Amino acid sequence: MRRWVIGAGGCALVIGGLFWALAGRSGALDLSQRTDLMAFACGAVGVVGLVATFWRRADEDEAAAVARLAREVKAIGEPQWMSSLGGDLKAIDVTFAFRPYAGARAAELPASPAGRLEKVVEDYRGLRPRRLVITGEPGAGKTVLARKFVMELTRVRADDEPVPVLVALADWDAGEPFRDWLTRHLERDYGLPAASARRVVAARMVLPVLDGLDEMDPTGTPAADSRAGRALEALSRYQDGTEPAPLVLTCRSREYDALEADGVHILDAARIGIDPVTAERAHDFLALRGARRPHRWDPVLDELRAHPHGVLARALSTPWRLTLVAVAYERDGDPAELVGAGTEGETADLLLGRFIGASVRSAAVGAGRYAPGWVHRRLRVLAVLLGPETDLALLGLGRFAPRWAVRVLELVQLGVILWVVLADLALDSGERVELSFPVVLAVLLMIAVLVRRLRAQVSSRSQAAASMPPAGSALWRVGVRRVMRRVPRSWSGLMISGTLLFGIWQAVPQRLGGQGMTSLAPVVGAVFVLYLVFAAAAEVDDAATGPAGQLRGQLALATVLVTAVAAVFYGGEAMRLPTSVVAMIGSAVVLELLSGLVEYGLFRLWNLRRLPLRLARFLDWSVAAGLLRTSGAAYQFRHREFQEWLVRHPAP
């Protein structure tokens, strides 16, 4: 699509420009002027070819693409692991047991399964085929187990083994082929080029670890009508040659039992159920995490010892709840109030009610910047917007903008383009051109079709085209150093260097051996800075820029495009370009290729009072405070229970 746009657009510009000039609208041209014009046309074709060379990224071979994916998985997984454990590195060593399928074809189990978090990779490698379903109660540690599996397998995998990739299932509709959906997430969440993502998926060098089958449907959806049921049927058909392709899946026990009862499950898979955390293990964990204020924890520890099957023990029988209680009372508050709770629900409400305040007060970054009540209200707005979904991608928030506002923007855009085009045709050279209704309608429909095609084919790619670190980040120095090392070893780097040197020579005064075109100096300097910025950003690991990196990249790209279009528009008279051409091309590029950014801007304007002005900074702070976590190019609430609690509690 990129090559088609560049080639067709470049040819149209050259042919249109020649036709306009040679038609003699500005008077007859002599031979030298016609020769100069043809030379300019040839130069324009060369520039288009040069841009196409730079725009097309060199394809990676399979080994390089797999190695890149493994690095991205490791870079993304490490901070997510610490965040999922509440700022610690040591997880509770949960246990699990293999559960047989009721009359279904299942995988061959390992001879002596260990059934422990620390040995999950060994148990998985003993399966034949290697298909695993992880089930457990809410908060039982399914996602933690999946993250541990991904990190450990990435660390010990051989070169010929697939790379485990953790992906949330919430946004998959089985109507989209599984391979296409997985490829899309490798591009969006892990920054792989499109060709590399397709290559590793086609080679079955990706082990999908699919998190949250239970989050695909609202509670109570019948299995026959559920997206989860259709997803399981599609995954059952996912194969590697003549064998079932390896995969790992997580789901709540109750939801998977309902699907299994209706005969909807993955064939040739093993299922494990995560055991509840015993009162003894909970006691040992809290004694270790409460070491800063040991006397405060004595009533809780005594209750766990005295009543191992009581309300408190049942409420703290999951790794999520244990992490939650450790965070809620680590620095202040009296955990003894938990002993007085009459039900598990009351215990959960006590913990979640303190969670935001405790996280704000203990935040290592920006502590005290936001008030707990203010944070609660802003996070609740996002929780309500997401509904049953879990992934919060910044540019994806544009889908929550009012549809009528998006349609009005499209109509205004089409109207402005049409008005400029028709005004240019009707008023050029003081001669009025008669425009019939069919001509006007044909032009309008043509522009509308082009707008829709560009939006459908290019917009999704352009959103992930640039991912930039924050201003002032040390990652910029890393990127610049890598660019400087790469320039002498690549054709594109040498061509850019030669172009810049030629521009500098043109701008140097004649007395110093140049051409004396000093007006080119700012242009050359701007081109060099832009090249260095975007090239350095491309060299930086996409995982390091975080979910806000794509938004920063889109803002930078939008600034460059708007500036370029404005410069061409206002300089169009001197360059003898028709205004209609500039208007159509500029509007199509700025408003359509950046449609995701435009819709995100509409969403921000519509929610200006309900959300922070600098939303990305607030979300990054929330991740640092432990209220949110990151998953590839998206944010997620720390736990689904926390997200649902926010929806039910509008006031702090």
Side-chain angles (χ1 to χ4, degrees):
M1 183 63 187
R2 278 200 301 257
R3 291 194 292 272
W4 184 89
V5 171
I6 293 174
C11 291
L13 281 177
V14 173
I15 295 173
L18 286 174
F19 179 82
W20 174 78
L22 295 175
R25 296 173 65 185
S26 300
L29 300 178
D30 57 29
L31 180 60
S32 62
Q33 290 175 323
R34 292 175 180 270
T35 304
D36 292 341
L37 183 61
M38 296 303 294
F40 171 78
C42 294
V45 173
V47 169
V48 171
L50 183 64
V51 171
T53 301
F54 292 150
W55 199 348
R56 183 181 180 186
R57 184 181 297 181
D59 290 341
E60 296 175 306
D61 59 23
E62 181 182 314
V66 171
R68 175 202 284 260
L69 179 60
R71 290 194 302 270
E72 297 290 343
V73 169
K74 185 174 184 294
I76 290 175
E78 288 177 349
Q80 289 178 351
W81 174 253
M82 177 176 285
S83 175
S84 65
L85 299 180
D88 206 340
L89 287 176
K90 186 64 175 177
I92 302 171
D93 191 12
V94 297
T95 60
F96 55 84
F98 284 92
R99 295 182 51 177
Y101 278 105
R105 196 172 70 213
E108 179 183 347
L109 303 183
S112 301
R116 294 175 48 217
L117 175 69
E118 297 297 329
K119 302 290 185 180
V120 63
V121 171
E122 295 179 17
D123 286 351
Y124 174 77
R125 283 178 162 171
L127 298 177
R128 294 295 182 274
R130 291 181 176 176
R131 288 187 158 199
L132 179 65
V133 179
I134 302 171
T135 60
E137 297 303 315
K142 300 180 292 296
T143 301
V144 171
L145 182 61
R147 291 188 189 280
K148 179 69 172 180
F149 172 80
V150 169
M151 295 299 294
E152 285 299 309
L153 185 55
T154 302
R155 184 176 62 86
V156 301
R157 62 173 284 273
D159 291 340
D160 59 345
E161 284 187 296
V163 179
V165 174
L166 183 65
V167 187
L169 271 170
D171 73 333
W172 181 37
D173 190 330
E176 179 183 13
F178 177 69
R179 298 181 192 178
D180 295 346
W181 174 81
L182 184 58
T183 301
R184 175 162 59 84
H185 273 275
L186 293 184
E187 293 181 59
R188 191 198 77 173
D189 297 346
Y190 296 91
L192 258 66
S196 298
R198 288 193 297 269
R199 183 171 287 113
V200 295
V201 170
R204 297 296 187 275
M205 289 303 293
V206 178
L207 170 60
V209 181
L210 309 170
D211 189 29
L213 180 71
D214 52 278
E215 296 171 354
M216 298 185 72
D217 300 288
T219 304
T221 303
D225 302 326
S226 66
R227 293 170 57 220
R230 294 193 296 272
L232 287 178
E233 292 176 356
L235 292 173
S236 293
R237 297 190 295 270
Y238 181 52
Q239 64 188 60
D240 183 5
T242 59
E243 298 294 327
L247 57 84
V248 177
L249 179 69
T250 74
C251 184
R252 291 183 178 182
S253 298
R254 182 179 301 176
E255 282 76 2
Y256 200 80
D257 288 340
L259 291 167
E260 187 176 301
D262 285 349
V264 181
H265 47 70
I266 298 180
L267 296 177
D268 303 305
R271 176 182 174 182
I272 62 175
I274 300 178
D275 300 324
V277 178
T278 63
E280 181 182 359
R281 284 179 177 268
H283 175 280
D284 295 342
F285 174 79
L286 292 179
L288 184 65
R289 288 293 296 265
R292 288 189 177 94
R293 304 187 306 150
H295 62 284
R296 291 273 188 174
W297 290 91
D298 288 342
V300 173
L301 300 180
D302 293 342
E303 173 67 15
L304 291 173
R305 279 194 300 264
H307 303 93
H309 302 290
V311 172
L312 183 61
R314 293 197 305 272
L316 303 183
S317 63
T318 64
W320 154 244
R321 291 276 183 82
L322 284 171
T323 303
L324 185 59
V325 71
V327 172
Y329 295 102
E330 187 171 17
R331 296 183 182 274
D332 58 10
D334 187 4
E337 64 183 358
L338 297 174
V339 178
T343 64
E344 296 178 40
E346 290 181 17
T347 305
D349 284 342
L350 281 173
L351 295 176
L352 291 167
R354 292 187 52 84
F355 182 44
I356 293 178
S359 299
V360 169
R361 287 187 290 272
S362 63
V365 179
R369 180 182 302 173
Y370 304 113
W374 188 90
V375 172
H376 180 111
R377 287 187 289 270
R378 270 62 187 177
L379 289 179
R380 184 182 182 275
V381 170
L382 296 173
V384 172
L385 281 174
L386 287 178
E389 300 179 24
T390 57
D391 279 9
L392 195 161
L394 279 174
L395 290 175
L397 290 175
R399 70 184 187 278
F400 297 118
R403 291 297 93 189
W404 64 265
V406 176
R407 298 294 177 260
V408 167
L409 181 66
E410 291 177 350
L411 291 175
V412 169
Q413 172 199 349
L414 293 176
V416 169
I417 295 175
L418 182 62
W419 179 81
V420 172
V421 171
L422 298 183
D424 183 70
L425 291 175
L427 303 178
D428 183 65
S429 301
E431 298 179 1
R432 191 166 190 84
V433 179
E434 294 295 334
L435 297 172
S436 62
F437 176 76
V439 173
V440 174
L441 182 61
V443 173
L444 182 60
L445 290 176
M446 179 188 68
I447 296 175
V449 169
L450 289 175
V451 163
R452 292 295 182 182
R453 181 58 58 87
L454 286 171
R455 183 186 295 276
Q457 299 293 334
V458 184
S459 175
S460 60
R461 293 285 181 84
S462 68
Q463 291 184 11
S467 186
M468 292 191 173
S473 170
L475 294 172
W476 285 110
R477 292 194 294 272
V478 175
V480 170
R481 285 198 298 268
R482 294 186 64 174
V483 169
M484 292 306 178
R485 287 197 299 268
R486 182 174 57 82
V487 163
R489 300 195 300 267
S490 66
W491 282 108
S492 60
L494 291 175
M495 294 176 69
I496 283 287
S497 302
T499 303
L500 290 174
L501 289 175
F502 177 77
I504 293 172
W505 175 64
Q506 292 284 319
V508 168
Q510 292 183 353
R511 65 177 182 276
L512 298 179
Q515 294 297 303
M517 301 176 65
T518 54
S519 60
L520 284 178
V523 177
V524 173
V527 170
F528 175 73
V529 171
L530 289 175
Y531 166 74
L532 198 59
V533 166
F534 282 95
E539 293 291 335
V540 174
D541 194 321
D542 290 336
T545 64
Q550 289 185 3
L551 178 60
R552 287 190 291 265
Q554 286 286 285
L555 289 172
L557 189 59
T559 303
V560 172
L561 291 176
V562 170
T563 304
V565 170
V568 174
F569 186 82
Y570 287 108
E573 184 177 355
M575 300 171 63
R576 306 185 74 179
L577 289 174
T579 308
S580 58
V581 174
V582 178
M584 283 193 295
I585 296 176
S587 299
V589 170
V590 176
L591 293 179
E592 298 312 320
L593 301 188
L594 301 175
S595 61
L597 183 61
V598 173
E599 292 186 2
Y600 173 76
L602 287 175
F603 166 80
R604 296 295 291 113
L605 288 174
W606 188 255
N607 295 276
L608 198 57
R609 294 185 177 181
R610 301 200 304 158
L611 291 174
L613 183 61
R614 303 189 66 177
L615 180 58
R617 172 178 286 189
F618 169 69
L619 295 177
D620 287 337
W621 177 88
S622 299
V623 171
L627 298 168
L628 302 180
R629 63 189 182 190
T630 58
S631 177
Y635 298 96
Q636 293 178 342
F637 282 90
R638 179 72 175 275
H639 194 273
R640 182 64 180 268
E641 184 181 36
F642 177 44
Q643 181 178 343
E644 294 171 348
W645 180 86
L646 283 169
V647 174
R648 296 194 307 270
H649 293 79

PDB file of all heavy atoms in Angstrom, residues 121-147:
ATOM      1  N   VAL A 121       7.523 -24.412  33.780  1.00  0.00           N
ATOM      2  CA  VAL A 121       8.099 -24.652  32.459  1.00  0.00           C
ATOM      3  C   VAL A 121       8.428 -26.122  32.277  1.00  0.00           C
ATOM      4  O   VAL A 121       8.190 -26.709  31.211  1.00  0.00           O
ATOM      5  CB  VAL A 121       9.352 -23.773  32.254  1.00  0.00           C
ATOM      6  CG1 VAL A 121      10.085 -24.168  30.975  1.00  0.00           C
ATOM      7  CG2 VAL A 121       8.967 -22.304  32.182  1.00  0.00           C
ATOM      8  N   GLU A 122       8.962 -26.749  33.325  1.00  0.00           N
ATOM      9  CA  GLU A 122       9.284 -28.177  33.227  1.00  0.00           C
ATOM     10  C   GLU A 122       8.015 -29.002  33.016  1.00  0.00           C
ATOM     11  O   GLU A 122       8.002 -29.947  32.207  1.00  0.00           O
ATOM     12  CB  GLU A 122      10.006 -28.622  34.496  1.00  0.00           C
ATOM     13  CG  GLU A 122      11.365 -27.959  34.698  1.00  0.00           C
ATOM     14  CD  GLU A 122      12.023 -28.417  35.978  1.00  0.00           C
ATOM     15  OE1 GLU A 122      11.598 -29.454  36.527  1.00  0.00           O
ATOM     16  OE2 GLU A 122      12.960 -27.743  36.436  1.00  0.00           O
ATOM     17  N   ASP A 123       6.946 -28.668  33.735  1.00  0.00           N
ATOM     18  CA  ASP A 123       5.690 -29.401  33.540  1.00  0.00           C
ATOM     19  C   ASP A 123       5.152 -29.188  32.137  1.00  0.00           C
ATOM     20  O   ASP A 123       4.637 -30.128  31.508  1.00  0.00           O
ATOM     21  CB  ASP A 123       4.659 -28.941  34.565  1.00  0.00           C
ATOM     22  CG  ASP A 123       4.943 -29.481  35.962  1.00  0.00           C
ATOM     23  OD1 ASP A 123       5.843 -30.338  36.086  1.00  0.00           O
ATOM     24  OD2 ASP A 123       4.292 -29.035  36.915  1.00  0.00           O
ATOM     25  N   TYR A 124       5.262 -27.979  31.619  1.00  0.00           N
ATOM     26  CA  TYR A 124       4.750 -27.699  30.277  1.00  0.00           C
ATOM     27  C   TYR A 124       5.520 -28.491  29.223  1.00  0.00           C
ATOM     28  O   TYR A 124       4.916 -29.031  28.280  1.00  0.00           O
ATOM     29  CB  TYR A 124       4.847 -26.203  29.984  1.00  0.00           C
ATOM     30  CG  TYR A 124       4.476 -25.837  28.568  1.00  0.00           C
ATOM     31  CD1 TYR A 124       3.150 -25.792  28.164  1.00  0.00           C
ATOM     32  CD2 TYR A 124       5.462 -25.557  27.624  1.00  0.00           C
ATOM     33  CE1 TYR A 124       2.803 -25.485  26.866  1.00  0.00           C
ATOM     34  CE2 TYR A 124       5.125 -25.237  26.323  1.00  0.00           C
ATOM     35  CZ  TYR A 124       3.799 -25.201  25.943  1.00  0.00           C
ATOM     36  OH  TYR A 124       3.475 -24.899  24.646  1.00  0.00           O
ATOM     37  N   ARG A 125       6.836 -28.557  29.379  1.00  0.00           N
ATOM     38  CA  ARG A 125       7.633 -29.286  28.387  1.00  0.00           C
ATOM     39  C   ARG A 125       7.340 -30.780  28.395  1.00  0.00           C
ATOM     40  O   ARG A 125       7.666 -31.477  27.430  1.00  0.00           O
ATOM     41  CB  ARG A 125       9.117 -29.034  28.651  1.00  0.00           C
ATOM     42  CG  ARG A 125       9.582 -27.665  28.164  1.00  0.00           C
ATOM     43  CD  ARG A 125      11.031 -27.423  28.478  1.00  0.00           C
ATOM     44  NE  ARG A 125      11.581 -26.337  27.665  1.00  0.00           N
ATOM     45  CZ  ARG A 125      12.774 -25.809  27.847  1.00  0.00           C
ATOM     46  NH1 ARG A 125      13.554 -26.254  28.833  1.00  0.00           N
ATOM     47  NH2 ARG A 125      13.204 -24.837  27.060  1.00  0.00           N
ATOM     48  N   GLY A 126       6.728 -31.280  29.448  1.00  0.00           N
ATOM     49  CA  GLY A 126       6.374 -32.694  29.499  1.00  0.00           C
ATOM     50  C   GLY A 126       5.050 -33.022  28.843  1.00  0.00           C
ATOM     51  O   GLY A 126       4.676 -34.193  28.750  1.00  0.00           O
ATOM     52  N   LEU A 127       4.310 -32.003  28.376  1.00  0.00           N
ATOM     53  CA  LEU A 127       3.018 -32.237  27.729  1.00  0.00           C
ATOM     54  C   LEU A 127       3.213 -32.660  26.271  1.00  0.00           C
ATOM     55  O   LEU A 127       4.132 -32.217  25.595  1.00  0.00           O
ATOM     56  CB  LEU A 127       2.162 -30.972  27.771  1.00  0.00           C
ATOM     57  CG  LEU A 127       1.762 -30.422  29.145  1.00  0.00           C
ATOM     58  CD1 LEU A 127       0.991 -29.125  28.976  1.00  0.00           C
ATOM     59  CD2 LEU A 127       0.949 -31.443  29.915  1.00  0.00           C
ATOM     60  N   ARG A 128       2.288 -33.500  25.787  1.00  0.00           N
ATOM     61  CA  ARG A 128       2.264 -33.876  24.377  1.00  0.00           C
ATOM     62  C   ARG A 128       0.808 -33.923  23.913  1.00  0.00           C
ATOM     63  O   ARG A 128       0.055 -34.787  24.356  1.00  0.00           O
ATOM     64  CB  ARG A 128       2.935 -35.228  24.151  1.00  0.00           C
ATOM     65  CG  ARG A 128       4.420 -35.263  24.421  1.00  0.00           C
ATOM     66  CD  ARG A 128       5.182 -34.373  23.426  1.00  0.00           C
ATOM     67  NE  ARG A 128       6.628 -34.445  23.651  1.00  0.00           N
ATOM     68  CZ  ARG A 128       7.294 -33.694  24.514  1.00  0.00           C
ATOM     69  NH1 ARG A 128       6.637 -32.776  25.212  1.00  0.00           N
ATOM     70  NH2 ARG A 128       8.587 -33.833  24.663  1.00  0.00           N
ATOM     71  N   PRO A 129       0.369 -33.032  23.017  1.00  0.00           N
ATOM     72  CA  PRO A 129       1.066 -31.840  22.525  1.00  0.00           C
ATOM     73  C   PRO A 129       1.120 -30.762  23.604  1.00  0.00           C
ATOM     74  O   PRO A 129       0.477 -30.882  24.645  1.00  0.00           O
ATOM     75  CB  PRO A 129       0.194 -31.396  21.351  1.00  0.00           C
ATOM     76  CG  PRO A 129      -1.180 -31.882  21.706  1.00  0.00           C
ATOM     77  CD  PRO A 129      -0.984 -33.176  22.438  1.00  0.00           C
ATOM     78  N   ARG A 130       1.869 -29.727  23.324  1.00  0.00           N
ATOM     79  CA  ARG A 130       2.116 -28.691  24.323  1.00  0.00           C
ATOM     80  C   ARG A 130       1.008 -27.633  24.298  1.00  0.00           C
ATOM     81  O   ARG A 130       1.182 -26.505  23.852  1.00  0.00           O
ATOM     82  CB  ARG A 130       3.483 -28.050  24.084  1.00  0.00           C
ATOM     83  CG  ARG A 130       4.630 -29.013  24.388  1.00  0.00           C
ATOM     84  CD  ARG A 130       5.984 -28.390  24.175  1.00  0.00           C
ATOM     85  NE  ARG A 130       7.050 -29.307  24.569  1.00  0.00           N
ATOM     86  CZ  ARG A 130       8.345 -29.055  24.428  1.00  0.00           C
ATOM     87  NH1 ARG A 130       8.727 -27.891  23.912  1.00  0.00           N
ATOM     88  NH2 ARG A 130       9.250 -29.940  24.800  1.00  0.00           N
ATOM     89  N   ARG A 131      -0.138 -28.056  24.802  1.00  0.00           N
ATOM     90  CA  ARG A 131      -1.283 -27.158  24.930  1.00  0.00           C
ATOM     91  C   ARG A 131      -1.739 -27.179  26.388  1.00  0.00           C
ATOM     92  O   ARG A 131      -1.994 -28.255  26.939  1.00  0.00           O
ATOM     93  CB  ARG A 131      -2.430 -27.595  24.021  1.00  0.00           C
ATOM     94  CG  ARG A 131      -2.160 -27.342  22.554  1.00  0.00           C
ATOM     95  CD  ARG A 131      -3.389 -27.631  21.716  1.00  0.00           C
ATOM     96  NE  ARG A 131      -3.325 -26.928  20.449  1.00  0.00           N
ATOM     97  CZ  ARG A 131      -4.363 -26.680  19.676  1.00  0.00           C
ATOM     98  NH1 ARG A 131      -5.567 -27.058  20.050  1.00  0.00           N
ATOM     99  NH2 ARG A 131      -4.219 -26.042  18.537  1.00  0.00           N
ATOM    100  N   LEU A 132      -1.857 -25.997  26.972  1.00  0.00           N
ATOM    101  CA  LEU A 132      -2.131 -25.904  28.400  1.00  0.00           C
ATOM    102  C   LEU A 132      -3.207 -24.856  28.662  1.00  0.00           C
ATOM    103  O   LEU A 132      -3.155 -23.752  28.112  1.00  0.00           O
ATOM    104  CB  LEU A 132      -0.850 -25.528  29.156  1.00  0.00           C
ATOM    105  CG  LEU A 132      -0.953 -25.361  30.668  1.00  0.00           C
ATOM    106  CD1 LEU A 132      -1.308 -26.691  31.329  1.00  0.00           C
ATOM    107  CD2 LEU A 132       0.356 -24.816  31.227  1.00  0.00           C
ATOM    108  N   VAL A 133      -4.174 -25.202  29.527  1.00  0.00           N
ATOM    109  CA  VAL A 133      -5.210 -24.276  29.974  1.00  0.00           C
ATOM    110  C   VAL A 133      -5.021 -24.070  31.473  1.00  0.00           C
ATOM    111  O   VAL A 133      -5.041 -25.036  32.250  1.00  0.00           O
ATOM    112  CB  VAL A 133      -6.622 -24.814  29.682  1.00  0.00           C
ATOM    113  CG1 VAL A 133      -7.678 -23.829  30.174  1.00  0.00           C
ATOM    114  CG2 VAL A 133      -6.797 -25.078  28.188  1.00  0.00           C
ATOM    115  N   ILE A 134      -4.818 -22.797  31.886  1.00  0.00           N
ATOM    116  CA  ILE A 134      -4.617 -22.446  33.294  1.00  0.00           C
ATOM    117  C   ILE A 134      -5.926 -21.886  33.826  1.00  0.00           C
ATOM    118  O   ILE A 134      -6.430 -20.874  33.321  1.00  0.00           O
ATOM    119  CB  ILE A 134      -3.495 -21.411  33.452  1.00  0.00           C
ATOM    120  CG1 ILE A 134      -2.185 -21.937  32.857  1.00  0.00           C
ATOM    121  CG2 ILE A 134      -3.295 -21.034  34.914  1.00  0.00           C
ATOM    122  CD1 ILE A 134      -1.082 -20.883  32.785  1.00  0.00           C
ATOM    123  N   THR A 135      -6.505 -22.523  34.845  1.00  0.00           N
ATOM    124  CA  THR A 135      -7.761 -22.063  35.424  1.00  0.00           C
ATOM    125  C   THR A 135      -7.576 -21.817  36.920  1.00  0.00           C
ATOM    126  O   THR A 135      -6.662 -22.353  37.547  1.00  0.00           O
ATOM    127  CB  THR A 135      -8.889 -23.090  35.207  1.00  0.00           C
ATOM    128  OG1 THR A 135      -8.528 -24.333  35.823  1.00  0.00           O
ATOM    129  CG2 THR A 135      -9.137 -23.311  33.729  1.00  0.00           C
ATOM    130  N   GLY A 136      -8.456 -20.995  37.450  1.00  0.00           N
ATOM    131  CA  GLY A 136      -8.409 -20.678  38.876  1.00  0.00           C
ATOM    132  C   GLY A 136      -9.491 -19.675  39.221  1.00  0.00           C
ATOM    133  O   GLY A 136     -10.140 -19.099  38.338  1.00  0.00           O
ATOM    134  N   GLU A 137      -9.687 -19.457  40.498  1.00  0.00           N
ATOM    135  CA  GLU A 137     -10.665 -18.486  40.962  1.00  0.00           C
ATOM    136  C   GLU A 137     -10.167 -17.062  40.688  1.00  0.00           C
ATOM    137  O   GLU A 137      -8.975 -16.859  40.428  1.00  0.00           O
ATOM    138  CB  GLU A 137     -10.935 -18.683  42.452  1.00  0.00           C
ATOM    139  CG  GLU A 137     -11.558 -20.035  42.795  1.00  0.00           C
ATOM    140  CD  GLU A 137     -12.854 -20.259  42.048  1.00  0.00           C
ATOM    141  OE1 GLU A 137     -13.686 -19.322  42.005  1.00  0.00           O
ATOM    142  OE2 GLU A 137     -13.051 -21.373  41.516  1.00  0.00           O
ATOM    143  N   PRO A 138     -11.053 -16.055  40.750  1.00  0.00           N
ATOM    144  CA  PRO A 138     -10.596 -14.668  40.569  1.00  0.00           C
ATOM    145  C   PRO A 138      -9.491 -14.317  41.557  1.00  0.00           C
ATOM    146  O   PRO A 138      -9.630 -14.535  42.761  1.00  0.00           O
ATOM    147  CB  PRO A 138     -11.869 -13.846  40.832  1.00  0.00           C
ATOM    148  CG  PRO A 138     -12.999 -14.776  40.511  1.00  0.00           C
ATOM    149  CD  PRO A 138     -12.534 -16.136  40.913  1.00  0.00           C
ATOM    150  N   GLY A 139      -8.381 -13.783  41.027  1.00  0.00           N
ATOM    151  CA  GLY A 139      -7.257 -13.408  41.877  1.00  0.00           C
ATOM    152  C   GLY A 139      -6.360 -14.549  42.265  1.00  0.00           C
ATOM    153  O   GLY A 139      -5.447 -14.378  43.088  1.00  0.00           O
ATOM    154  N   ALA A 140      -6.594 -15.755  41.709  1.00  0.00           N
ATOM    155  CA  ALA A 140      -5.810 -16.924  42.116  1.00  0.00           C
ATOM    156  C   ALA A 140      -4.367 -16.865  41.641  1.00  0.00           C
ATOM    157  O   ALA A 140      -3.534 -17.648  42.105  1.00  0.00           O
ATOM    158  CB  ALA A 140      -6.479 -18.200  41.593  1.00  0.00           C
ATOM    159  N   GLY A 141      -4.059 -15.968  40.715  1.00  0.00           N
ATOM    160  CA  GLY A 141      -2.690 -15.865  40.221  1.00  0.00           C
ATOM    161  C   GLY A 141      -2.499 -16.423  38.833  1.00  0.00           C
ATOM    162  O   GLY A 141      -1.387 -16.793  38.456  1.00  0.00           O
ATOM    163  N   LYS A 142      -3.584 -16.458  38.036  1.00  0.00           N
ATOM    164  CA  LYS A 142      -3.480 -16.999  36.678  1.00  0.00           C
ATOM    165  C   LYS A 142      -2.531 -16.160  35.833  1.00  0.00           C
ATOM    166  O   LYS A 142      -1.668 -16.691  35.124  1.00  0.00           O
ATOM    167  CB  LYS A 142      -4.868 -17.055  36.026  1.00  0.00           C
ATOM    168  CG  LYS A 142      -5.861 -17.931  36.761  1.00  0.00           C
ATOM    169  CD  LYS A 142      -7.210 -17.958  36.073  1.00  0.00           C
ATOM    170  CE  LYS A 142      -7.902 -16.609  36.152  1.00  0.00           C
ATOM    171  NZ  LYS A 142      -8.233 -16.195  37.534  1.00  0.00           N
ATOM    172  N   THR A 143      -2.703 -14.823  35.876  1.00  0.00           N
ATOM    173  CA  THR A 143      -1.844 -13.949  35.079  1.00  0.00           C
ATOM    174  C   THR A 143      -0.402 -13.983  35.587  1.00  0.00           C
ATOM    175  O   THR A 143       0.549 -13.971  34.789  1.00  0.00           O
ATOM    176  CB  THR A 143      -2.386 -12.514  35.094  1.00  0.00           C
ATOM    177  OG1 THR A 143      -3.717 -12.499  34.568  1.00  0.00           O
ATOM    178  CG2 THR A 143      -1.520 -11.596  34.243  1.00  0.00           C
ATOM    179  N   VAL A 144      -0.228 -14.039  36.911  1.00  0.00           N
ATOM    180  CA  VAL A 144       1.128 -14.137  37.466  1.00  0.00           C
ATOM    181  C   VAL A 144       1.790 -15.429  37.008  1.00  0.00           C
ATOM    182  O   VAL A 144       2.967 -15.449  36.627  1.00  0.00           O
ATOM    183  CB  VAL A 144       1.091 -14.057  39.005  1.00  0.00           C
ATOM    184  CG1 VAL A 144       2.454 -14.383  39.602  1.00  0.00           C
ATOM    185  CG2 VAL A 144       0.654 -12.668  39.447  1.00  0.00           C
ATOM    186  N   LEU A 145       1.038 -16.530  37.023  1.00  0.00           N
ATOM    187  CA  LEU A 145       1.581 -17.804  36.553  1.00  0.00           C
ATOM    188  C   LEU A 145       1.942 -17.719  35.076  1.00  0.00           C
ATOM    189  O   LEU A 145       2.994 -18.223  34.644  1.00  0.00           O
ATOM    190  CB  LEU A 145       0.563 -18.914  36.795  1.00  0.00           C
ATOM    191  CG  LEU A 145       0.979 -20.333  36.399  1.00  0.00           C
ATOM    192  CD1 LEU A 145       2.208 -20.775  37.181  1.00  0.00           C
ATOM    193  CD2 LEU A 145      -0.169 -21.316  36.622  1.00  0.00           C
ATOM    194  N   ALA A 146       1.073 -17.056  34.280  1.00  0.00           N
ATOM    195  CA  ALA A 146       1.363 -16.905  32.852  1.00  0.00           C
ATOM    196  C   ALA A 146       2.609 -16.043  32.635  1.00  0.00           C
ATOM    197  O   ALA A 146       3.444 -16.346  31.773  1.00  0.00           O
ATOM    198  CB  ALA A 146       0.159 -16.298  32.140  1.00  0.00           C
ATOM    199  N   ARG A 147       2.740 -14.958  33.401  1.00  0.00           N
ATOM    200  CA  ARG A 147       3.930 -14.103  33.264  1.00  0.00           C
ATOM    201  C   ARG A 147       5.193 -14.854  33.676  1.00  0.00           C
ATOM    202  O   ARG A 147       6.241 -14.724  33.029  1.00  0.00           O
ATOM    203  CB  ARG A 147       3.770 -12.844  34.115  1.00  0.00           C
ATOM    204  CG  ARG A 147       2.707 -11.887  33.623  1.00  0.00           C
ATOM    205  CD  ARG A 147       2.746 -10.587  34.401  1.00  0.00           C
ATOM    206  NE  ARG A 147       1.609  -9.731  34.086  1.00  0.00           N
ATOM    207  CZ  ARG A 147       1.529  -8.964  33.017  1.00  0.00           C
ATOM    208  NH1 ARG A 147       2.530  -8.948  32.157  1.00  0.00           N
ATOM    209  NH2 ARG A 147       0.459  -8.217  32.803  1.00  0.00           N
TER     210      ARG A 147
END
